[in-house]
Amino acid sequence: MEDKLNIKLLIGDANYPMVIDREQEEVLREAARRINDMLNRYRDTYPGLSKEQYLAMVALHNGVMNLEKVGMNDTAPFTERLQQSIDLISDYLDGKA
């Protein structure tokens, strides 16, 4: 049996009722808290903008953060350098260097 939970998340000035898996609750509530914190920071820093503009700024911020994290997980340059080092050591041990 699936363990579903009905919750309401307050993001900005709107409630979002959701049916979720119970194990998602903590992550979703934390995400909503972070969005609201960021909204409040933008409201304090840039007063007088529309709700849509604040939400767009938060979306842009989160998009940039996600892309930066994807870049941090790119191990290709390290893997390539590691392979070069392994090849150099192998060549040395084989008497080729």
Side-chain angles (χ1 to χ4, degrees):
M1 182 170 133
E2 294 180 23
D3 197 15
K4 297 290 185 181
L5 183 65
N6 292 315
I7 65 170
K8 287 183 184 176
L9 294 178
L10 178 65
I11 298 176
D13 300 326
N15 275 309
Y16 295 91
M18 306 176 83
V19 178
I20 62 166
D21 292 329
R22 190 170 295 278
E23 59 269 6
Q24 291 179 307
E25 181 183 15
E26 185 178 341
V27 172
L28 288 169
R29 291 195 186 278
E30 178 63 18
R33 185 192 66 75
R34 289 182 184 193
I35 290 168
N36 286 320
D37 288 349
M38 188 65 57
L39 277 170
N40 290 331
R41 274 188 253 149
Y42 283 125
R43 284 178 180 149
D44 291 343
T45 305
Y46 307 102
L49 300 178
S50 70
K51 184 187 332 182
E52 290 79 14
Q53 288 173 305
Y54 292 124
L55 290 171
M57 293 168 79
V58 172
L60 178 62
H61 173 84
N62 286 331
V64 169
M65 296 299 291
N66 286 337
L67 288 173
E68 287 176 349
K69 286 183 181 182
V70 167
M72 290 172 54
N73 290 329
D74 182 12
T75 60
F78 303 107
T79 304
E80 183 179 318
R81 182 66 182 140
L82 180 60
Q83 187 59 52
Q84 289 172 351
S85 297
I86 290 169
D87 292 344
L88 184 63
I89 292 169
S90 293
D91 287 348
Y92 177 79
L93 293 175
D94 291 340
K96 295 179 182 177

